[in-house]
C-alpha cells in the first residue's frame, strides 16, 4: 500500500515552478515602511501581490497548476469552485494556455468577483 501523504516539494520543484510561471506572472516588488518598522520594532517586508495579474498571489499557484498539466489533460480544461480570487486566477491561467476553465460559484457571490472570473 502506498503512503497517501504526498512528499513535500523540494527546492528543485520550487525552481521548476518558478521557471514554469515566469513567462506569465509578474515579478512583484517587496515594499518597506520605516514608519511601520519603528512601530513594530523590527524590519517588515511586504510582498505587493495585489500588483500580480488577477490582483492576488493565487495566480502563481493557478498558473503553475495549469502549465504543469500535460497536453492531453490540458485539452480537457480545468474546473474549480470559488467565490472570488482563486476562480479569477484559474480562469486567467487557463486563458494564458488557451484551455477551457469552468468556475462554479456560490449563490450571492460578489458582482466584482464574478466580473473578474468572467
Amino acid at each position: 500500500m502506498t503512503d497517501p501523504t504526498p512528499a513535500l516539494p523540494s527546492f528543485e520543484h520550487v525552481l521548476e515552478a518558478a521557471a514554469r510561471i515566469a513567462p506569465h506572472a509578474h515579478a512583484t516588488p517587496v515594499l518597506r515602511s520605516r514608519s511601520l518598522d519603528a512601530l513594530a520594532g523590527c524590519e517588515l517586508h511586504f510582498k505587493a501581490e495585489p500588483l500580480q495579474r488577477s490582483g492576488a498571489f493565487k495566480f502563481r499557484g493557478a498558473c503553475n497548476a495549469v502549465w504543469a498539466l500535460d497536453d492531453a489533460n490540458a485539452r480537457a480544461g480545468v474546473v474549480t469552485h470559488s467565490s472570488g480570487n482563486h476562480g479569477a486566477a484559474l480562469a486567467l491561467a487557463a486563458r494564458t494556455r488557451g484551455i477551457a476553465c469552468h468556475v462554479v460559484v456560490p449563490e450571492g457571490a460578489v458582482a466584482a468577483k464574478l466580473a473578474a472570473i468572467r
Side-chain angles (χ1 to χ4, degrees):
M1 182 170 178
T2 60
D3 182 1
T5 306
L8 291 174
S10 67
F11 185 64
E12 183 176 316
H13 291 128
V14 173
L15 293 176
E16 290 169 359
R20 192 176 297 122
I21 71 171
H24 312 287
H26 294 314
T28 56
V30 175
L31 305 175
R32 299 286 317 279
S33 169
R34 288 181 298 220
S35 299
L36 292 176
D37 286 355
L39 286 170
C42 62
E43 288 186 5
L44 300 173
H45 301 259
F46 301 94
K47 185 71 168 145
E49 285 302 287
L51 301 177
Q52 185 53 260
R53 294 182 71 178
S54 83
F57 72 92
K58 294 182 180 200
F59 179 70
R60 294 176 188 278
C63 189
N64 184 52
V66 164
W67 283 95
L69 294 171
D70 61 42
D71 289 342
N73 284 315
R75 277 192 295 276
V78 292
V79 63
T80 192
H81 181 276
S82 171
S83 61
N85 290 347
H86 176 68
L90 188 65
L92 178 57
R95 190 172 73 199
T96 68
R97 184 146 183 196
I99 63 173
C101 177
H102 302 279
V103 181
V104 179
V105 297
E107 284 186 28
V110 176
K113 298 288 187 174
L114 290 174
I117 291 169
R118 284 189 190 101

